[in-house]
Short mmCIF file of all heavy atoms in Angstrom, two decimals:
data_model
loop_
_atom_site.label_atom_id
_atom_site.label_comp_id
_atom_site.label_asym_id
_atom_site.label_seq_id
_atom_site.Cartn_x
_atom_site.Cartn_y
_atom_site.Cartn_z
N ILE U 22 173.80 107.37 103.32
CA ILE U 22 173.43 108.49 102.45
C ILE U 22 172.34 108.06 101.48
O ILE U 22 171.37 108.79 101.25
CB ILE U 22 174.67 109.00 101.69
CG1 ILE U 22 175.67 109.62 102.67
CG2 ILE U 22 174.26 110.00 100.62
CD1 ILE U 22 176.97 110.05 102.03
N LYS U 23 172.46 106.85 100.90
CA LYS U 23 171.44 106.33 99.97
C LYS U 23 170.09 106.17 100.68
O LYS U 23 169.05 106.49 100.13
CB LYS U 23 171.90 105.00 99.39
CG LYS U 23 173.01 105.13 98.37
CD LYS U 23 173.36 103.77 97.79
CE LYS U 23 174.47 103.89 96.74
NZ LYS U 23 174.83 102.60 96.14
N ILE U 24 170.13 105.63 101.90
CA ILE U 24 168.88 105.44 102.66
C ILE U 24 168.23 106.79 102.92
O ILE U 24 167.00 106.95 102.78
CB ILE U 24 169.18 104.71 103.98
CG1 ILE U 24 169.61 103.27 103.69
CG2 ILE U 24 167.96 104.73 104.89
CD1 ILE U 24 170.07 102.51 104.92
N HIS U 25 169.02 107.78 103.27
CA HIS U 25 168.47 109.11 103.54
C HIS U 25 167.86 109.72 102.29
O HIS U 25 166.81 110.36 102.34
CB HIS U 25 169.58 110.02 104.09
CG HIS U 25 169.99 109.68 105.48
ND1 HIS U 25 171.19 110.06 106.02
CD2 HIS U 25 169.35 108.98 106.45
CE1 HIS U 25 171.28 109.63 107.27
NE2 HIS U 25 170.18 108.96 107.54
N LYS U 26 168.53 109.50 101.15
CA LYS U 26 167.99 110.01 99.88
C LYS U 26 166.63 109.40 99.57
O LYS U 26 165.68 110.08 99.18
CB LYS U 26 168.97 109.75 98.75
CG LYS U 26 170.17 110.67 98.73
CD LYS U 26 171.06 110.37 97.53
CE LYS U 26 172.25 111.34 97.48
NZ LYS U 26 173.13 111.06 96.31
N TRP U 27 166.58 108.06 99.71
CA TRP U 27 165.30 107.39 99.43
C TRP U 27 164.21 107.82 100.42
O TRP U 27 163.04 107.93 100.07
CB TRP U 27 165.48 105.87 99.50
CG TRP U 27 166.07 105.28 98.26
CD1 TRP U 27 167.31 104.76 98.09
CD2 TRP U 27 165.43 105.22 96.99
NE1 TRP U 27 167.51 104.35 96.79
CE2 TRP U 27 166.35 104.62 96.09
CE3 TRP U 27 164.19 105.60 96.51
CZ2 TRP U 27 166.07 104.40 94.75
CZ3 TRP U 27 163.90 105.37 95.17
CH2 TRP U 27 164.82 104.79 94.30
N LEU U 28 164.61 108.06 101.65
CA LEU U 28 163.65 108.52 102.66
C LEU U 28 163.10 109.89 102.31
O LEU U 28 161.90 110.16 102.44
CB LEU U 28 164.33 108.55 104.03
CG LEU U 28 163.42 108.92 105.22
CD1 LEU U 28 162.28 107.93 105.34
CD2 LEU U 28 164.24 108.96 106.51
N ILE U 29 164.02 110.75 101.82
CA ILE U 29 163.59 112.09 101.40
C ILE U 29 162.64 112.00 100.21
O ILE U 29 161.61 112.68 100.16
CB ILE U 29 164.80 112.96 101.07
CG1 ILE U 29 165.61 113.25 102.33
CG2 ILE U 29 164.37 114.27 100.40
CD1 ILE U 29 166.94 113.93 102.07
N VAL U 30 162.96 111.13 99.23
CA VAL U 30 162.11 110.95 98.05
C VAL U 30 160.74 110.43 98.47
O VAL U 30 159.70 110.90 97.98
CB VAL U 30 162.77 109.98 97.05
CG1 VAL U 30 161.78 109.60 95.95
CG2 VAL U 30 164.02 110.60 96.45
N LEU U 31 160.73 109.47 99.40
CA LEU U 31 159.46 108.90 99.88
C LEU U 31 158.61 109.96 100.56
O LEU U 31 157.40 110.05 100.36
CB LEU U 31 159.76 107.75 100.83
CG LEU U 31 158.53 107.04 101.42
CD1 LEU U 31 157.69 106.43 100.31
CD2 LEU U 31 158.96 105.98 102.41
N ILE U 32 159.27 110.80 101.38
CA ILE U 32 158.54 111.87 102.08
C ILE U 32 157.95 112.85 101.08
O ILE U 32 156.81 113.31 101.24
CB ILE U 32 159.48 112.59 103.08
CG1 ILE U 32 159.86 111.65 104.22
CG2 ILE U 32 158.83 113.86 103.61
CD1 ILE U 32 160.91 112.21 105.16
N VAL U 33 158.73 113.19 100.06
CA VAL U 33 158.24 114.12 99.03
C VAL U 33 157.04 113.53 98.31
O VAL U 33 156.03 114.21 98.06
CB VAL U 33 159.36 114.46 98.03
CG1 VAL U 33 158.79 115.23 96.84
CG2 VAL U 33 160.45 115.27 98.73
N ILE U 34 157.14 112.24 97.93
CA ILE U 34 156.04 111.58 97.21
C ILE U 34 154.78 111.55 98.07
O ILE U 34 153.68 111.86 97.61
CB ILE U 34 156.45 110.16 96.80
CG1 ILE U 34 157.54 110.20 95.73
CG2 ILE U 34 155.23 109.39 96.28
CD1 ILE U 34 158.10 108.84 95.38
N VAL U 35 154.94 111.17 99.34
CA VAL U 35 153.79 111.12 100.26
C VAL U 35 153.18 112.51 100.42
O VAL U 35 151.95 112.68 100.45
CB VAL U 35 154.21 110.55 101.62
CG1 VAL U 35 153.09 110.72 102.65
CG2 VAL U 35 154.59 109.09 101.49
N SER U 36 154.03 113.53 100.52
CA SER U 36 153.53 114.91 100.68
C SER U 36 152.75 115.35 99.45
O SER U 36 151.69 115.98 99.57
CB SER U 36 154.71 115.86 100.93
OG SER U 36 155.39 115.52 102.11
N ILE U 37 153.28 115.02 98.25
CA ILE U 37 152.58 115.39 97.02
C ILE U 37 151.23 114.68 96.94
O ILE U 37 150.21 115.30 96.60
CB ILE U 37 153.45 115.05 95.79
CG1 ILE U 37 154.69 115.95 95.75
CG2 ILE U 37 152.64 115.20 94.51
CD1 ILE U 37 155.69 115.59 94.67
N CYS U 38 151.23 113.39 97.26
CA CYS U 38 149.97 112.63 97.24
C CYS U 38 148.97 113.21 98.23
O CYS U 38 147.77 113.31 97.96
CB CYS U 38 150.24 111.16 97.57
SG CYS U 38 151.13 110.26 96.28
#
Side-chain angles (χ1 to χ4, degrees):
I22 294 175
K23 287 183 179 180
I24 292 174
H25 288 160
K26 284 183 178 180
W27 280 110
L28 184 59
I29 293 171
V30 170
L31 180 61
I32 292 173
V33 170
I34 292 174
V35 170
S36 299
I37 292 173
C38 291

